[in-house]
Amino acid sequence: MSWLIFAILLDFGFVQICKFSQRRGYYAPVVVSTNYLVLSAVLAAWLLATDRFTFSAAAMQTGLITGAVFIGSMSLMMRVLEVASVGAVLTAFRISIAVPVALGIWLWQEPVVPSQYGGIVLAFPALLMMTSGTRGNARAASGKTFGLLFAVFLAQGMSHSCLRSVHYAGLDGEFVQILTVMGATAGTIGYIYIAGRMRRPKRSELATGIGLGAYNALALSVIMITLSRLPGTLFFPATGCSVILLDNLSAHFFWKERLNRLSAAGVALAILAVALVI
């Protein structure tokens, strides 16, 4: 369980760095793509230092697919943010944990006890309620926009599922190689996108991306170790609710963002959901 707590805290820290980047007005594709390339470089250096710089065909394939899914999900979310409110997009992003949880039960027969079912069920309204406090534009969601939000939900859910599949593919011992290939793939595709938009990265954006990548090398490694030890039916609801819970508390006390009543009720419900899941 200590690995789960460590993973939650590191994931929360990642969210806070991203929020700092957003508050500074940095161009997200530059920060995120730089993050992926640095993550790949850090892990590649570690593999070289430990004389493990070898990649099986399965690790290469999994890394390439995961990297493409990760950067595709990010690009889609950036596109949808142009036509939908921030709150709606974040809600779709957060409840995407339903995808790996469902796959864990249906495809991988992951264990779930009755109390955990209750926690999983409570996690989704808790996420919806906590995300309701996010400010964004007030544009109404048309049928097309709803479809895009559903695409965000599926894309992010598949990102989670790609990480989860590593364990069931018997590749736990090669997760560093997989993350190295994933980072290189996602970062390269990201910079191709940036070049296509003819956007020149700023020093501050690059510096933030470098710091984020070094941090993410540790965070994702811990998440992969945790996923190798715990079922996704426990990991994803627990981390999803806990990170948003901590983010809401941080927003209220540190970022000085007002927490509305619905979000506050969601925080209370999230505490109950996490207690039941764990």
Side-chain angles (χ1 to χ4, degrees):
M1 201 60 68
S2 58
W3 281 106
L4 177 61
I5 295 172
F6 197 17
I8 288 169
L9 292 176
L10 285 170
D11 199 5
F12 167 67
F14 179 80
V15 171
Q16 298 312 298
I17 297 172
C18 290
K19 182 172 284 191
F20 168 81
S21 172
Q22 182 189 41
R23 287 295 184 92
R24 292 298 182 92
Y26 296 158
Y27 187 51
V30 170
V31 174
V32 173
S33 300
T34 303
N35 146 73
Y36 282 131
L37 290 179
V38 171
L39 177 150
S40 179
V42 169
L43 294 180
W46 187 85
L47 288 172
L48 285 169
T50 56
D51 197 27
R52 294 179 57 200
F53 198 77
T54 56
F55 299 82
S56 68
M60 286 289 294
Q61 182 181 28
T62 303
L64 287 168
I65 293 172
T66 304
V69 171
F70 263 59
I71 199 68
S73 176
M74 185 277 287
S75 301
L76 176 63
M77 188 169 71
M78 295 299 298
R79 169 69 183 90
V80 179
L81 280 170
E82 297 175 3
V83 298
S85 69
V86 173
V89 176
L90 288 182
T91 299
F93 182 86
R94 289 301 175 187
I95 65 174
S96 65
I97 62 169
V99 176
V101 168
L103 285 177
I105 296 171
W106 172 64
L107 187 61
W108 297 311
Q109 289 80 52
E110 292 187 332
V112 187
V113 300
S115 62
Q116 287 180 319
Y117 272 119
I120 292 169
V121 170
L122 289 178
F124 297 110
L127 290 171
L128 289 167
M129 292 164 70
M130 286 189 290
T131 311
S132 70
T134 307
R135 293 184 180 182
N137 59 63
R139 280 175 280 188
S142 63
K144 180 181 178 180
T145 303
F146 178 81
L148 289 172
L149 290 171
F150 186 69
V152 169
F153 164 81
L154 287 179
Q156 185 57 27
M158 290 309 299
S159 296
H160 292 315
S161 300
C162 284
L163 294 181
R164 186 68 193 119
S165 70
V166 171
H167 174 67
Y168 290 103
L171 297 172
D172 286 333
E174 299 181 74
F175 79 84
V176 177
Q177 287 89 338
I178 291 170
L179 291 179
T180 301
V181 176
M182 180 210 77
T185 302
T188 300
I189 295 174
Y191 265 98
I192 291 173
Y193 170 80
I194 293 166
R197 299 293 293 268
M198 293 188 292
R199 175 71 182 247
R200 185 174 181 177
K202 299 178 182 177
R203 284 188 179 181
S204 55
E205 294 168 343
L206 292 172
T208 302
I210 290 170
L212 188 62
Y215 180 94
N216 210 15
L218 172 63
L220 273 177
S221 295
V222 169
I223 286 172
M224 295 303 293
I225 292 172
T226 308
L227 281 171
S228 72
R229 296 170 181 237
L230 297 174
T233 46
L234 187 160
F235 177 84
F236 290 109
T239 53
C241 269
S242 297
V243 171
I244 295 299
L245 167 61
L246 293 172
D247 187 45
N248 271 269
L249 294 175
S250 171
H252 183 73
F253 292 106
F254 181 74
W255 297 103
K256 305 303 180 184
E257 297 175 0
R258 187 176 180 181
L259 201 64
N260 64 26
R261 291 183 180 179
L262 188 59
S263 295
V267 167
L269 192 60
I271 294 173
L272 176 59
V274 171
L276 288 171
V277 170
I278 296 178

